[in-house]
Amino acid sequence: MIVRDFNKLKDTNRAVSDAQWTSVRMLLADDGMGFSFHITTLYAGSEHTFHYKHHFESVYCISGRGAITDLASGETFEIKPGVMYALDQHDKHTLRADEDLVMACCFNPPVTGTEVHREDGSYAPADTAAE
Ligand code: 9YT
């Protein structure tokens, strides 16, 4: 069994940040679960375009308000506590945080923790994370 405390991990190298978001990786690839599990906070006023071409991702809103736009269809959905979205088509999307958005995210395949967003909004495939 694995038991971890967000409040301890947030001050370790399992917390990855850029200027507009921070993500605490509760589970990573080397935990052997087949998915990774992150608590990601997107800061109020920020907007993010991501395109996880090599991963499936589901995201559950714990707190905050914002919106997600599916860039293929142009549809926009409100994000608020209780709402989940799943990028089952590797959907390219824009997330807008009107307030700090705290999201619980699962990635399949799991991220290793070393990925950085590439120009196209993706993370590299699992077996080439360092590329
Ligand atoms: C909510 C969201 O887009 N999560 C993406 C994952 C986050 N950038 C991370 O943990 O790497």
Side-chain angles (χ1 to χ4, degrees), residues 9-28:
L9 295 188
K10 69 183 173 51
D11 299 316
T12 72
N13 63 5
R14 282 180 169 267
V16 174
S17 296
D18 85 355
Q20 309 264 44
W21 56 264
T22 187
S23 182
V24 177
R25 275 65 184 275
M26 307 299 295
L27 292 169
L28 284 169

Side-chain angles (χ1 to χ4, degrees), residues 21 23 25 38 40 50 52 57 85 95 105 107 117 123:
W21 56 264
S23 182
R25 275 65 184 275
H38 319 185
T40 300
F50 297 133
Y52 296 118
E57 185 194 17
Y85 62 85
L95 254 182
C105 319
F107 273 73
H117 284 108
Y123 282 152

Side-chain angles (χ1 to χ4, degrees), residues 29-47:
D30 65 2
D31 290 309
M33 296 289 289
F35 57 89
S36 56
F37 181 56
H38 319 185
I39 302 296
T40 300
T41 303
L42 304 135
Y43 302 131
S46 65
E47 209 169 83

